Amino acid sequence: MPLRPGLWTEIANALGFATSANLSASSDGADLYECYVWSLVLEAARQEGATIRLLDRQGRSARSFWFRTSPSSIFSVAHDYCHAELHFPGRPTLEAHIGIYVSGKSRVNHECDVAIVFKDEADTCRRESVHPRSSKVLLAIECKYYLSSSLGVNLGRSFLGLIDDIYTKGRFFVSTQNTGSVDRLLSRHNKEYEIGLSPMTPALEVRLRGSFEKLFRNFKAA
């Protein structure tokens, strides 16, 4: 199965057949990869009992889902950017976003390719035009779409620097490419990662979804 159509199949399954989108199987691979990982997060939440709604910026059901294809603020009005709302009974409501900035402990803003943010924090940010505080980000994922070149160790070092500023719990590094030295670096630092992930590696999908499910399971029990 070619990679990009495979990525799109997973995304379409997450969106449902009633919703169109600004992306397609022919869209840029890096954009599709972020959305694909986002869809795995939604599936993990669903497996843990979440009710999921696809919403636009105004909180209305999204009939046409607009994904971010470049990083922007959660309060951006450049397009009617959409997100998924995740509700676990008896727990604060969450939102799953793609390509938003969050504010680190140093007050420096960082891009999160995929982020799960508490809804009350997201509402405040949209209302007051500020970035979510990283302490209010339950899950953050760095996504790297590499088809031929190796993953340089500098990518891993950059990720370690990032999570030092946005806390370390629930922070993941994922990539299509499985060559290079990033995995050794992240393993040595005991960080969460999945290297070589794609729809063509179902065993890795299952393992990563399991990690997300564990995070949601802990969230429900907190």
Side-chain angles (χ1 to χ4, degrees), residues 93 118 179 219:
T93 302
F118 285 85
T179 60
F219 170 72

Side-chain angles (χ1 to χ4, degrees), residues 6-84:
L7 295 173
W8 178 247
T9 297
E10 298 286 346
I11 298 164
N13 289 339
L15 291 177
F17 294 106
T19 305
S20 61
N22 63 315
L23 297 181
S24 70
S26 62
S27 296
D28 182 79
D31 294 331
L32 291 176
Y33 194 63
E34 292 178 4
C35 299
Y36 157 67
V37 175
W38 174 85
S39 75
L40 296 182
V41 172
L42 299 194
E43 179 59 25
R46 186 175 289 108
Q47 289 294 326
E48 285 299 312
T51 299
I52 298 176
R53 297 197 301 158
L54 303 178
L55 304 176
D56 64 15
R57 189 180 182 279
Q58 304 301 321
R60 301 169 299 201
S61 293
R63 295 186 177 275
S64 181
F65 202 94
W66 196 282
F67 289 102
R68 286 177 173 83
T69 54
S70 59
S72 66
S73 61
I74 198 171
F75 53 86
S76 173
V77 295
H79 297 284
D80 191 10
Y81 293 120
C82 300
H83 62 272

Side-chain angles (χ1 to χ4, degrees), residues 202-217:
L204 299 187
E205 277 192 352
V206 170
R207 185 165 65 186
L208 184 61
R209 275 200 307 264
S211 296
F212 296 156
E213 288 168 13
K214 181 179 179 181
L215 184 145
F216 288 128
R217 187 164 65 247

Side-chain angles (χ1 to χ4, degrees), residues 51-126:
T51 299
I52 298 176
R53 297 197 301 158
L54 303 178
L55 304 176
D56 64 15
R57 189 180 182 279
Q58 304 301 321
R60 301 169 299 201
S61 293
R63 295 186 177 275
S64 181
F65 202 94
W66 196 282
F67 289 102
R68 286 177 173 83
T69 54
S70 59
S72 66
S73 61
I74 198 171
F75 53 86
S76 173
V77 295
H79 297 284
D80 191 10
Y81 293 120
C82 300
H83 62 272
E85 182 182 272
L86 316 179
H87 178 71
F88 294 95
R91 298 296 295 142
T93 302
L94 305 170
E95 293 184 1
H97 290 267
I98 295 172
I100 62 170
Y101 291 109
V102 302
S103 180
K105 291 180 286 186
S106 66
R107 299 189 179 181
V108 171
N109 298 324
H110 302 278
E111 177 191 355
C112 287
D113 294 328
V114 179
I116 300 291
V117 183
F118 285 85
K119 174 177 165 41
D120 58 357
E121 178 78 358
D123 286 340
T124 297
C125 292
R126 285 187 287 262

Side-chain angles (χ1 to χ4, degrees), residues 181-193:
S181 53
V182 170
D183 53 347
R184 292 192 294 275
L185 176 66
L186 298 182
S187 176
R188 190 162 62 245
H189 287 271
N190 197 29
K191 303 307 179 186
E192 297 278 7
Y193 66 92

